[in-house]
Amino acid sequence: MDQSIALGVLCVGVGGLAAQWIAWRFRLPAIVLLFAVGLAVGPGFQLLHPTASLGRFLQPAVGLAVAIVVFEGGLGLEFSELRAAGEGVLRLTAVALPINWLLGSAAAHWIGGLGWGASALFGAITVVTGPTVVLPLLRHTRLQRRAASFLKWEAIVNDPVGAVLATLVLQALLAGRGHVAVFAGDLALRMALALALSAALGIGLAFAIRFAFLHDHVPERLKTPMLLVAAATVYAVANLVLEGAGLAAATVLGIALTNLRVPGLAELRRFKESLVVLIVSGLFILLTADLSRATLVSLSWPVGALTLAVLFLVRPAAIWLATLGSALTFAERALAAWVAPRGIVAAAVAGVAGLKLQGAGYRGSELIVPCVFSVIAATMVLHGFTLRPLARRLKLTLSNQPGLAVLGAADWTADLCACLHAAGLPVLLIDTTPAKLTPAREAGVPVLRAEMLSDSGMEALDLRPVDYLIATTNDPVYNGLVCTRLAPELGRERVFQVSPGSRRLDERRGMSRESRGKVLGEVSWDVSLFAELYADGFRFRMTTGETGIDDMRVLSVGEEGELTIFSAESDAEAAEGDRVLVFAAPVAASHQALVNLVEA
């Protein structure tokens, strides 16, 4: 293997995954660490030279990778979210975007010192808030669903629209049609035609895929490859008509597929999450490493002043103007006004468009790349580290403590949830029968009536602060199905079910580990045992001292609220000082058992 290729794999692959793991382990924004890795291996130690190594293939590869990312983002945009967030999404996408462009262009001219042509291009490039940055930040921050929907929809929708806008502005400038008063109508018409073409391609292909899948014209093993190829196809075809329109087509395809309820998307969702992690890691490191030291040196005071203006003047003014008279709360408007990290699309478009405009002789065009880079760096670092504390201060986050969902209402699970609720832990009891939920509801425990294998049940669960699941229904197969469905969202090590019995746990003849959750407690702790012991007087209680020899230790809560659920399939133990939840006999019964033991 060529040494440069081997070095690239090490820097991008190992460096990217290491950054992602460190971010997960220490609760840091992964994007900031990826950005730092790119700076280190690129302009820092000059280990990577992406343009020199890949040449003219770099930009097409970046574009295709971004198309996969926005396609994946589109798969997460369900119209059901628009019931509560529709007006805000419309304001942030259709109204705020042109205001951002106009204000950004004015700031680039009067503060950054760029000519009007270069300023118009800078403003068009910086209207986007990249999903490659926003989506990881949203996973890092436990935002309320409505506030998260605003930022997610804006990022995924504005990203391709901004790319089309930047392309049209560049084409108008290169053709000598840079006067806004004369060509604004032409620009708007071409933008509408490009977006209409993208929508037609995406929606048309989505219907064709749905027909093929529903009528069993595609084998299961080809469904996921076909969907990925479809995203790449609409991207390439739309780009043949207008550069930048491909991202819009890929986004529309993803949105259409998920809202048409096309079967076969579950497998793609599991695969694309891992794929997108690798793509995002690689893209950020490659594009950051591609920056030259000359670009970093050209970061002057005017560039810094323009960056501050974009952060503290342009974005806040655009959001507040766009949301005047809307139903958005003050906290939601403040969060949207501050959080607008730019990402890969802005960097990729700036690298190509800046050079073309500089070749055409437009004043200040040589500053487009350093200006855009400065905005990307500042927004990633500042927004990456401030999103969570700001959202907490604005009271737009879910509980900071990990939440537990218990599936299956019964007397003993109601007692379990009541004990945890009294201890101050976020807990949710789920069942499909209202009467079974009544005792827990009367005890003040949050409850949810929903079928967890339905789309509406999953949507309802998204609104709750749930990090762990314990399935406790009488049907072990159903428990396993729910754990399997929630495993990609919560993590396979965070979904538990009451023991289905030793026979069902047999490694060869029993339920596969891939088809069930981890066993709660010991293998002998099945539903019947919990019900019988509860009838005999056993109850759940939280203790910080020594537990009795007969006490069934279920979980522990750390000093900072971290949750540990005990299982025979793991070696997790309570740390010193942890509170431990036990299922134990009444004190009187325990005392009588001790007396009997002494007398014997």
Side-chain angles (χ1 to χ4, degrees):
M1 179 182 286
D2 185 87
Q3 288 188 353
S4 62
I5 297 178
L7 188 60
V9 170
L10 287 174
C11 292
V12 175
V14 178
L17 285 180
Q20 293 277 4
W21 184 86
I22 292 172
W24 166 80
R25 181 65 180 83
F26 297 100
R27 294 194 166 197
L28 299 172
I31 298 302
V32 177
L33 297 184
L34 293 170
F35 190 73
V37 171
L39 286 177
V41 301
F45 298 105
Q46 295 189 324
L47 299 176
L48 281 187
H49 305 280
T51 297
S53 301
L54 300 176
R56 62 189 180 90
F57 296 104
L58 177 62
Q59 291 302 327
V62 168
L64 183 58
V66 174
I68 298 298
V69 173
V70 297
F71 169 66
E72 184 265 345
L75 289 173
L77 297 183
E78 297 198 15
F79 292 145
S80 59
E81 290 184 350
L82 297 182
R83 296 170 192 161
E87 182 189 9
V89 169
L90 182 63
R91 298 280 189 128
L92 293 180
T93 53
V95 181
L97 187 143
I99 299 176
N100 258 314
W101 177 36
L102 295 176
L103 294 180
S105 301
H109 179 70
W110 284 316
I111 298 176
L114 281 67
W116 276 115
S119 297
L121 182 59
F122 172 84
I125 293 172
T126 54
V127 298
V128 301
T129 57
T132 53
V133 187
V134 172
L135 298 183
L137 287 180
L138 293 180
R139 284 191 286 268
H140 175 68
T141 307
R142 296 164 57 86
L143 279 181
Q144 294 176 8
R145 190 183 186 189
R146 196 170 106 131
S149 294
F150 294 149
L151 299 180
K152 180 174 70 172
W153 274 82
E154 182 197 16
I156 296 172
V157 173
N158 278 6
D159 211 41
V161 174
V164 173
L165 176 62
T167 300
L168 292 175
V169 169
L170 177 64
Q171 289 183 356
L173 293 172
L174 294 179
R177 301 178 299 174
H179 298 288
V180 176
V182 179
F183 296 103
D186 176 61
L187 196 65
L189 178 60
R190 297 178 67 197
M191 169 75 81
L193 290 175
L195 295 180
L197 169 66
S198 301
L201 282 172
I203 295 173
L205 187 55
F207 272 102
I209 291 173
R210 183 174 184 269
F211 177 85
F213 284 15
L214 285 176
H215 291 81
D216 204 22
H217 294 319
V218 181
E220 289 296 324
R221 67 180 184 276
L222 292 182
K223 285 184 176 179
T224 295
M226 179 174 287
L227 291 170
L228 291 175
V229 170
T233 299
V234 295
Y235 167 77
V237 172
N239 266 4
L240 290 176
V241 179
L242 177 67
E243 188 71 28
L247 295 181
T251 304
V252 171
L253 175 63
I255 296 174
L257 286 172
T258 196
N259 287 283
L260 286 173
R261 298 290 185 261
V262 174
L265 293 184
E267 292 80 5
L268 175 64
R269 286 193 176 100
R270 285 193 287 269
F271 173 73
K272 53 85 177 168
E273 287 179 359
S274 302
L275 179 64
V276 167
V277 167
L278 293 175
I279 289 176
V280 170
S281 301
L283 286 177
F284 266 102
I285 292 176
L286 284 175
L287 290 178
T288 309
D290 205 38
L291 292 169
S292 64
R293 291 183 175 180
T295 300
L296 299 179
V297 171
S298 63
L299 298 177
S300 58
W301 285 110
V303 173
L306 176 57
T307 301
L308 293 176
V310 171
L311 283 168
F312 296 101
L313 295 177
V314 173
R315 171 72 178 186
I319 296 301
W320 286 102
L321 289 173
T323 56
L324 280 175
S326 70
L328 273 71
T329 65
F330 173 85
E332 291 167 344
R333 296 172 74 191
L335 185 71
W338 171 244
V339 179
R342 277 65 170 187
I344 289 170
V345 170
V349 173
V352 176
L355 290 177
K356 290 182 178 179
L357 202 64
Q358 188 175 352
Y362 277 87
R363 183 172 65 86
S365 54
E366 72 280 358
L367 293 176
I368 289 179
V369 172
C371 285
V372 172
F373 161 73
S374 178
V375 170
I376 292 172
T379 54
M380 278 201 302
V381 174
L382 292 177
H383 298 164
F385 282 112
T386 60
L387 174 56
R388 177 184 284 183
L390 176 63
R392 283 182 187 170
R393 189 171 185 83
L394 295 173
K395 297 182 179 180
L396 291 176
T397 57
L398 300 172
S399 173
N400 294 325
Q401 285 188 303
L404 171 66
V406 178
L407 175 66
D411 291 339
W412 69 273
T413 57
D415 183 57
L416 164 66
C417 293
C419 182
L420 292 174
H421 180 68
L425 277 89
V427 64
L428 177 70
L429 182 61
I430 307 171
D431 203 283
T432 57
T433 306
K436 291 183 178 180
L437 294 172
T438 300
R441 184 187 293 110
E442 292 176 348
V445 176
V447 299
L448 174 63
R449 181 191 174 192
E451 168 56 69
M452 292 316 301
L453 294 179
S454 69
D455 291 336
S456 62
M458 292 294 290
E459 291 170 5
L461 192 65
D462 285 340
L463 299 173
R464 312 301 180 100
V466 171
D467 300 274
Y468 294 83
L469 171 80
I470 300 177
T472 67
T473 74
N474 292 323
D475 187 346
V477 176
Y478 177 77
N479 292 338
L481 284 173
V482 175
C483 288
T484 302
R485 179 161 188 180
L486 289 175
E489 301 294 330
L490 304 181
R492 191 164 297 279
E493 297 302 308
R494 292 186 169 201
V495 289
F496 294 78
Q497 68 178 94
V498 176
S499 174
S502 58
R503 292 183 60 186
R504 288 184 181 270
L505 292 175
D506 183 270
E507 291 185 2
R508 291 184 57 83
R509 298 180 178 85
M511 296 173 64
S512 166
R513 180 65 181 87
E514 298 293 320
S515 304
R516 62 172 176 82
K518 291 177 68 175
V519 174
L520 174 68
E522 301 298 330
V523 174
S524 59
W525 296 4
D526 58 13
V527 173
S528 298
L529 177 65
F530 277 106
E532 290 171 5
L533 291 178
Y534 183 84
D536 289 341
F538 274 61
R539 294 295 184 270
F540 288 94
R541 70 168 185 267
M542 194 73 75
T543 178
T544 54
E546 293 291 331
T547 58
I549 190 171
D550 294 325
D551 292 349
M552 299 164 63
R553 299 165 74 252
V554 178
L555 58 84
S556 67
V557 183
E559 295 179 355
E560 297 183 1
E562 61 273 18
L563 202 62
T564 301
I565 300 177
F566 303 129
S567 171
E569 296 179 304
S570 68
D571 55 0
E573 291 291 340
E576 186 176 353
D578 286 359
R579 292 180 293 166
V580 179
L581 179 73
V582 297
F583 191 46
V587 175
S590 299
H591 177 70
Q592 185 60 48
L594 180 62
V595 170
N596 294 339
L597 180 64
V598 171
E599 290 178 351

